Amino acid sequence: MKVSVLGATGYAGAELLRILYNHPHADVVHITSESHTGEPIAALYPHLRGRYDLTLESMKDIERIGADSDFVFIGLPHGHAMAVGKALEKLPTRIIDLGADFRFDDTDIYEAWYHVPHTYKNAPRVYGLAEWHREEIKDAKIIGNAGCFTTASILALAPLAAAHLIDVNTIIVDAKSGVTGAGRGPKLGNHFPELYDNFRAYNVAHHRHTPEIEQEVARLAGETTVINFTPHLVPMGRGILATCYATLKAGVTAEQVDAAFQERYGAEFFIRLLGRDGYPSTKEVRGSNFCDIAWHIDERTHRVIVLSAIDNLVKGAAGQAVQNFNIACGFDEKTALDVVPMYP
């Protein structure tokens, strides 16, 4: 398959190139960057030296790039992918967007949270959370890759919502992310003296991943939901740990919770169940496409606490995009992703 990466100079784009290099059925033919057009990718990411001799192109001739590609991966900020999708609408080229433009069923929700008009409302899109949308992904023209916080949170909550074991309007998600989740662009809050030896919350009650989690939990539960989601920034490069709380419905037992996770994820390669009372760790999934999940039952409050750990650049972005690519192409889902996490 000929593939192109739009926005290859972001962290997710560079991670995508790293993974695709080891993919036996993917040939990267175009990489783009508007701010670094004409520069070799290895000049910006020396770890790719000797592996990619490609020069970064402009996206101005997107129709030519699309016509030359079976798949286009989009690693651009929100608001840009919808224009690409529209430009490639009549081509057989398929799209995997790592941004937010194609994640929502209701574009009014997208506009309310992202504050830009959606210019491709009728796009033939599916939500790209592989473990829950495989069948739709297989034939999709456009795949809206799930977000990083949302991947960790939805995977943690989905079995319980689908089995109707929790009151979905009692959900609280408390999640921590490494700084790569904020992108490569310099920002004061990510400056070393500001970040080092520090720990803080941000976008409390307003983070844009909130409605994405609500959409998928509501879809599985068959009822609308409103959740609390609070993200935090921690002084590490990679990783997300999501701690998800919900009240169990009356009469629900710990054994039913155990069974819900086992029945849904027992055969999933990329989800590793640590079981009841386990403790996932970001370091144990670093550099991998795994999601480690454990859960605890608080009998005093009759609440379940689900812990979920992922690498935000792999399972939370580039790895999941390649997993979706494999599903869409009919390849083994593990292709280029069957790697042991880096440790320590």
Side-chain angles (χ1 to χ4, degrees):
M1 289 289 177
K2 291 183 178 181
V3 304
S4 294
V5 179
L6 310 184
T9 56
Y11 285 134
E15 190 74 347
L16 190 53
L17 291 176
R18 182 182 73 86
I19 295 170
L20 288 172
Y21 178 77
N22 291 309
H23 200 298
H25 309 303
D27 180 18
V28 180
V29 292
H30 298 285
I31 56 175
T32 79
S33 170
E34 299 310 301
S35 56
H36 296 280
T37 301
E39 298 181 48
I41 187 65
L44 297 169
Y45 284 103
H47 71 293
L48 299 176
R49 187 185 297 123
R51 295 298 173 264
Y52 285 100
D53 59 1
L54 292 169
T55 297
L56 291 156
E57 306 173 43
S58 172
M59 232 175 55
K60 292 176 181 176
D61 194 2
I62 186 60
E63 289 84 359
R64 176 184 60 84
I65 293 172
D68 199 28
S69 309
D70 296 303
F71 273 81
V72 168
F73 292 89
I74 305 176
L76 301 169
H78 71 271
H80 294 277
M82 61 185 86
V84 174
K86 195 71 174 175
L88 304 183
E89 185 176 20
K90 296 181 180 179
L91 294 175
T93 314
R94 300 171 74 182
I95 291 170
I96 299 177
D97 178 26
L98 279 70
D101 289 9
F102 298 113
R103 291 176 184 163
F104 292 92
D105 298 334
D106 185 346
T107 54
D108 289 344
I109 294 175
Y110 170 89
E111 292 177 345
W113 285 80
Y114 286 83
H115 308 296
V116 295
H118 202 293
T119 58
Y120 194 15
K121 293 180 180 289
N122 63 339
R125 61 192 177 273
V126 301
Y127 188 64
L129 187 60
E131 283 77 13
W132 289 89
H133 292 277
R134 274 195 185 90
E135 291 307 311
E136 303 100 299
I137 289 168
K138 287 178 181 178
D139 299 314
K141 165 73 173 175
I142 300 175
I143 300 165
N145 217 54
C148 53
F149 277 126
T150 55
T151 294
S153 304
I154 295 166
L155 289 177
L157 294 164
L160 304 178
H164 308 291
L165 300 181
I166 57 174
D167 179 346
V168 294
N169 284 302
T170 65
I171 291 173
I172 297 172
V173 177
D174 181 307
K176 287 84 175 174
S177 174
V179 72
T180 52
R184 201 184 193 198
K187 304 176 184 70
L188 177 61
N190 300 342
H191 186 43
F192 181 78
E194 305 287 333
L195 185 68
Y196 174 71
D197 203 24
N198 197 8
F199 177 39
R200 65 176 183 270
Y202 65 99
N203 287 352
V204 176
H206 300 290
H207 196 281
R208 290 165 171 169
H209 283 179
T210 304
E212 192 180 333
I213 300 169
E214 290 176 344
Q215 171 183 277
E216 292 306 299
V217 169
R219 189 201 308 271
L220 293 166
E223 58 180 300
T224 57
T225 180
V226 176
I227 72 167
N228 284 119
F229 170 61
T230 303
H232 299 75
L233 187 65
V234 295
M236 64 182 185
R238 294 170 178 253
I240 285 177
L241 180 69
T243 305
C244 307
Y245 305 81
T247 298
L248 293 167
K249 290 186 175 180
V252 172
T253 66
E255 289 73 22
Q256 286 176 291
V257 172
D258 297 348
F261 281 105
Q262 190 60 43
E263 288 170 10
R264 195 61 188 80
Y265 293 147
E268 289 289 349
F269 181 81
F270 289 117
I271 297 183
R272 303 190 300 188
L273 296 178
L274 280 63
R276 198 194 316 168
D277 300 332
Y279 287 93
S281 163
T282 58
K283 186 161 282 189
E284 292 162 6
V285 295
R286 182 178 171 85
S288 80
N289 200 53
F290 290 116
C291 175
D292 285 2
I293 296 176
W295 54 96
H296 297 246
I297 307 296
D298 186 339
E299 295 181 0
R300 188 176 61 88
T301 61
H302 199 55
R303 290 175 72 81
V304 59
I305 303 101
V306 188
L307 307 172
S308 173
I310 65 170
D311 184 318
N312 59 295
L313 291 181
V314 189
K315 184 59 172 170
Q320 181 146 255
V322 173
Q323 187 179 359
N324 287 330
F325 169 72
N326 288 336
I327 293 169
C329 294
F331 303 143
D332 185 322
E333 209 164 304
K334 302 187 296 296
T335 305
L337 296 169
D338 188 0
V339 297
V340 176
M342 299 182 289
Y343 198 93

